[in-house]
PDB file of all heavy atoms in Angstrom:
ATOM      1  N   TYR A 307     -17.497 -33.056 -21.795  1.00 76.00           N
ATOM      2  CA  TYR A 307     -17.785 -33.492 -23.172  1.00 76.00           C
ATOM      3  C   TYR A 307     -16.515 -33.728 -23.991  1.00 76.00           C
ATOM      4  O   TYR A 307     -16.546 -34.424 -25.010  1.00 76.00           O
ATOM      5  CB  TYR A 307     -18.626 -32.426 -23.888  1.00 76.00           C
ATOM      6  CG  TYR A 307     -20.056 -32.814 -24.121  1.00 76.00           C
ATOM      7  CD1 TYR A 307     -21.057 -32.467 -23.215  1.00 76.00           C
ATOM      8  CD2 TYR A 307     -20.433 -33.522 -25.255  1.00 76.00           C
ATOM      9  CE1 TYR A 307     -22.386 -32.804 -23.425  1.00 76.00           C
ATOM     10  CE2 TYR A 307     -21.760 -33.872 -25.484  1.00 76.00           C
ATOM     11  CZ  TYR A 307     -22.730 -33.507 -24.560  1.00 76.00           C
ATOM     12  OH  TYR A 307     -24.035 -33.853 -24.789  1.00 76.00           O
ATOM     13  N   ALA A 308     -15.400 -33.118 -23.562  1.00 79.00           N
ATOM     14  CA  ALA A 308     -14.183 -33.098 -24.393  1.00 79.00           C
ATOM     15  C   ALA A 308     -13.760 -34.499 -24.838  1.00 79.00           C
ATOM     16  O   ALA A 308     -13.478 -34.722 -26.026  1.00 79.00           O
ATOM     17  CB  ALA A 308     -13.052 -32.412 -23.639  1.00 79.00           C
ATOM     18  N   ASP A 309     -13.735 -35.450 -23.887  1.00 76.00           N
ATOM     19  CA  ASP A 309     -13.294 -36.806 -24.226  1.00 76.00           C
ATOM     20  C   ASP A 309     -14.150 -37.409 -25.340  1.00 76.00           C
ATOM     21  O   ASP A 309     -13.634 -37.967 -26.304  1.00 76.00           O
ATOM     22  CB  ASP A 309     -13.369 -37.716 -22.987  1.00 76.00           C
ATOM     23  CG  ASP A 309     -12.279 -37.390 -21.983  1.00 76.00           C
ATOM     24  OD1 ASP A 309     -11.498 -36.455 -22.255  1.00 76.00           O
ATOM     25  OD2 ASP A 309     -12.213 -38.057 -20.936  1.00 76.00           O
ATOM     26  N   ARG A 310     -15.479 -37.249 -25.191  1.00 77.00           N
ATOM     27  CA  ARG A 310     -16.392 -37.819 -26.198  1.00 77.00           C
ATOM     28  C   ARG A 310     -16.236 -37.137 -27.550  1.00 77.00           C
ATOM     29  O   ARG A 310     -16.319 -37.774 -28.595  1.00 77.00           O
ATOM     30  CB  ARG A 310     -17.834 -37.676 -25.713  1.00 77.00           C
ATOM     31  CG  ARG A 310     -18.328 -38.940 -25.041  1.00 77.00           C
ATOM     32  CD  ARG A 310     -19.781 -38.824 -24.700  1.00 77.00           C
ATOM     33  NE  ARG A 310     -19.981 -38.086 -23.477  1.00 77.00           N
ATOM     34  CZ  ARG A 310     -21.181 -37.828 -22.982  1.00 77.00           C
ATOM     35  NH1 ARG A 310     -22.254 -38.220 -23.629  1.00 77.00           N
ATOM     36  NH2 ARG A 310     -21.310 -37.174 -21.861  1.00 77.00           N
ATOM     37  N   ILE A 311     -16.003 -35.820 -27.509  1.00 80.00           N
ATOM     38  CA  ILE A 311     -15.838 -35.061 -28.755  1.00 80.00           C
ATOM     39  C   ILE A 311     -14.604 -35.558 -29.507  1.00 80.00           C
ATOM     40  O   ILE A 311     -14.628 -35.764 -30.722  1.00 80.00           O
ATOM     41  CB  ILE A 311     -15.751 -33.547 -28.467  1.00 80.00           C
ATOM     42  CG1 ILE A 311     -17.131 -33.017 -28.030  1.00 80.00           C
ATOM     43  CG2 ILE A 311     -15.239 -32.777 -29.671  1.00 80.00           C
ATOM     44  CD1 ILE A 311     -17.113 -31.628 -27.436  1.00 80.00           C
ATOM     45  N   PHE A 312     -13.518 -35.786 -28.764  1.00 82.00           N
ATOM     46  CA  PHE A 312     -12.284 -36.252 -29.414  1.00 82.00           C
ATOM     47  C   PHE A 312     -12.412 -37.695 -29.887  1.00 82.00           C
ATOM     48  O   PHE A 312     -11.881 -38.054 -30.939  1.00 82.00           O
ATOM     49  CB  PHE A 312     -11.095 -36.096 -28.465  1.00 82.00           C
ATOM     50  CG  PHE A 312     -10.630 -34.669 -28.342  1.00 82.00           C
ATOM     51  CD1 PHE A 312     -10.922 -33.910 -27.216  1.00 82.00           C
ATOM     52  CD2 PHE A 312      -9.917 -34.067 -29.371  1.00 82.00           C
ATOM     53  CE1 PHE A 312     -10.510 -32.585 -27.111  1.00 82.00           C
ATOM     54  CE2 PHE A 312      -9.509 -32.746 -29.276  1.00 82.00           C
ATOM     55  CZ  PHE A 312      -9.801 -32.010 -28.148  1.00 82.00           C
ATOM     56  N   GLN A 313     -13.145 -38.512 -29.126  1.00 79.00           N
ATOM     57  CA  GLN A 313     -13.367 -39.904 -29.556  1.00 79.00           C
ATOM     58  C   GLN A 313     -14.174 -39.945 -30.848  1.00 79.00           C
ATOM     59  O   GLN A 313     -13.870 -40.711 -31.765  1.00 79.00           O
ATOM     60  CB  GLN A 313     -14.091 -40.692 -28.457  1.00 79.00           C
ATOM     61  CG  GLN A 313     -13.169 -41.121 -27.319  1.00 79.00           C
ATOM     62  CD  GLN A 313     -13.923 -41.630 -26.112  1.00 79.00           C
ATOM     63  OE1 GLN A 313     -15.096 -41.319 -25.919  1.00 79.00           O
ATOM     64  NE2 GLN A 313     -13.267 -42.399 -25.270  1.00 79.00           N
ATOM     65  N   SER A 314     -15.178 -39.094 -30.950  1.00 75.00           N
ATOM     66  CA  SER A 314     -16.020 -39.075 -32.162  1.00 75.00           C
ATOM     67  C   SER A 314     -15.239 -38.563 -33.369  1.00 75.00           C
ATOM     68  O   SER A 314     -15.592 -38.826 -34.509  1.00 75.00           O
ATOM     69  CB  SER A 314     -17.266 -38.221 -31.946  1.00 75.00           C
ATOM     70  OG  SER A 314     -16.923 -36.867 -31.778  1.00 75.00           O
ATOM     71  N   ALA A 315     -14.149 -37.813 -33.102  1.00 75.00           N
ATOM     72  CA  ALA A 315     -13.308 -37.328 -34.201  1.00 75.00           C
ATOM     73  C   ALA A 315     -12.272 -38.371 -34.611  1.00 75.00           C
ATOM     74  O   ALA A 315     -11.423 -38.116 -35.467  1.00 75.00           O
ATOM     75  CB  ALA A 315     -12.609 -36.036 -33.791  1.00 75.00           C
ATOM     76  N   GLY A 316     -12.329 -39.531 -33.955  1.00 76.00           N
ATOM     77  CA  GLY A 316     -11.441 -40.627 -34.365  1.00 76.00           C
ATOM     78  C   GLY A 316     -10.211 -40.809 -33.505  1.00 76.00           C
ATOM     79  O   GLY A 316      -9.321 -41.597 -33.845  1.00 76.00           O
ATOM     80  N   VAL A 317     -10.115 -40.102 -32.373  1.00 79.00           N
ATOM     81  CA  VAL A 317      -8.960 -40.276 -31.478  1.00 79.00           C
ATOM     82  C   VAL A 317      -9.129 -41.601 -30.734  1.00 79.00           C
ATOM     83  O   VAL A 317     -10.196 -41.901 -30.209  1.00 79.00           O
ATOM     84  CB  VAL A 317      -8.857 -39.101 -30.462  1.00 79.00           C
ATOM     85  CG1 VAL A 317      -7.714 -39.328 -29.492  1.00 79.00           C
ATOM     86  CG2 VAL A 317      -8.668 -37.786 -31.197  1.00 79.00           C
ATOM     87  N   ASP A 318      -8.068 -42.396 -30.717  1.00 80.00           N
ATOM     88  CA  ASP A 318      -8.107 -43.699 -30.060  1.00 80.00           C
ATOM     89  C   ASP A 318      -8.383 -43.554 -28.558  1.00 80.00           C
ATOM     90  O   ASP A 318      -7.899 -42.624 -27.910  1.00 80.00           O
ATOM     91  CB  ASP A 318      -6.748 -44.399 -30.265  1.00 80.00           C
ATOM     92  CG  ASP A 318      -6.753 -45.799 -29.714  1.00 80.00           C
ATOM     93  OD1 ASP A 318      -7.475 -46.655 -30.266  1.00 80.00           O
ATOM     94  OD2 ASP A 318      -6.056 -46.041 -28.713  1.00 80.00           O
ATOM     95  N   ASP A 319      -9.156 -44.500 -27.990  1.00 76.00           N
ATOM     96  CA  ASP A 319      -9.536 -44.441 -26.573  1.00 76.00           C
ATOM     97  C   ASP A 319      -8.326 -44.303 -25.650  1.00 76.00           C
ATOM     98  O   ASP A 319      -8.360 -43.571 -24.656  1.00 76.00           O
ATOM     99  CB  ASP A 319     -10.335 -45.688 -26.172  1.00 76.00           C
ATOM    100  CG  ASP A 319     -11.760 -45.629 -26.701  1.00 76.00           C
ATOM    101  OD1 ASP A 319     -12.065 -44.654 -27.422  1.00 76.00           O
ATOM    102  OD2 ASP A 319     -12.552 -46.541 -26.412  1.00 76.00           O
ATOM    103  N   ASN A 320      -7.254 -45.016 -25.965  1.00 79.00           N
ATOM    104  CA  ASN A 320      -6.053 -44.973 -25.118  1.00 79.00           C
ATOM    105  C   ASN A 320      -5.350 -43.619 -25.172  1.00 79.00           C
ATOM    106  O   ASN A 320      -4.589 -43.274 -24.268  1.00 79.00           O
ATOM    107  CB  ASN A 320      -5.064 -46.073 -25.525  1.00 79.00           C
ATOM    108  CG  ASN A 320      -5.639 -47.452 -25.293  1.00 79.00           C
ATOM    109  OD1 ASN A 320      -6.363 -47.658 -24.316  1.00 79.00           O
ATOM    110  ND2 ASN A 320      -5.356 -48.383 -26.188  1.00 79.00           N
ATOM    111  N   VAL A 322      -6.952 -40.637 -25.553  1.00 83.00           N
ATOM    112  CA  VAL A 322      -7.806 -39.521 -25.120  1.00 83.00           C
ATOM    113  C   VAL A 322      -7.203 -38.811 -23.897  1.00 83.00           C
ATOM    114  O   VAL A 322      -7.278 -37.593 -23.773  1.00 83.00           O
ATOM    115  CB  VAL A 322      -9.246 -40.015 -24.824  1.00 83.00           C
ATOM    116  CG1 VAL A 322     -10.028 -38.977 -24.034  1.00 83.00           C
ATOM    117  CG2 VAL A 322      -9.974 -40.290 -26.134  1.00 83.00           C
ATOM    118  N   SER A 381     -17.117 -33.127 -36.729  1.00 83.00           N
ATOM    119  CA  SER A 381     -16.440 -33.562 -35.496  1.00 83.00           C
ATOM    120  C   SER A 381     -15.153 -32.757 -35.286  1.00 83.00           C
ATOM    121  O   SER A 381     -14.768 -32.473 -34.150  1.00 83.00           O
ATOM    122  CB  SER A 381     -16.135 -35.058 -35.549  1.00 83.00           C
ATOM    123  OG  SER A 381     -15.409 -35.370 -36.707  1.00 83.00           O
ATOM    124  N   ILE A 385     -13.933 -29.996 -32.169  1.00 89.00           N
ATOM    125  CA  ILE A 385     -12.625 -29.876 -31.501  1.00 89.00           C
ATOM    126  C   ILE A 385     -12.180 -28.420 -31.473  1.00 89.00           C
ATOM    127  O   ILE A 385     -11.711 -27.913 -30.443  1.00 89.00           O
ATOM    128  CB  ILE A 385     -11.561 -30.756 -32.214  1.00 89.00           C
ATOM    129  CG1 ILE A 385     -11.912 -32.234 -32.039  1.00 89.00           C
ATOM    130  CG2 ILE A 385     -10.157 -30.456 -31.689  1.00 89.00           C
ATOM    131  CD1 ILE A 385     -10.995 -33.184 -32.762  1.00 89.00           C
TER     132      ILE A 385
END
Side-chain angles (χ1 to χ4, degrees):
Y307 252 93
D309 288 1
R310 264 186 279 179
I311 289 167
F312 284 104
Q313 282 168 338
S314 66
V317 177
D318 185 67
D319 285 4
N320 296 324
V322 165
S381 54
I385 293 176

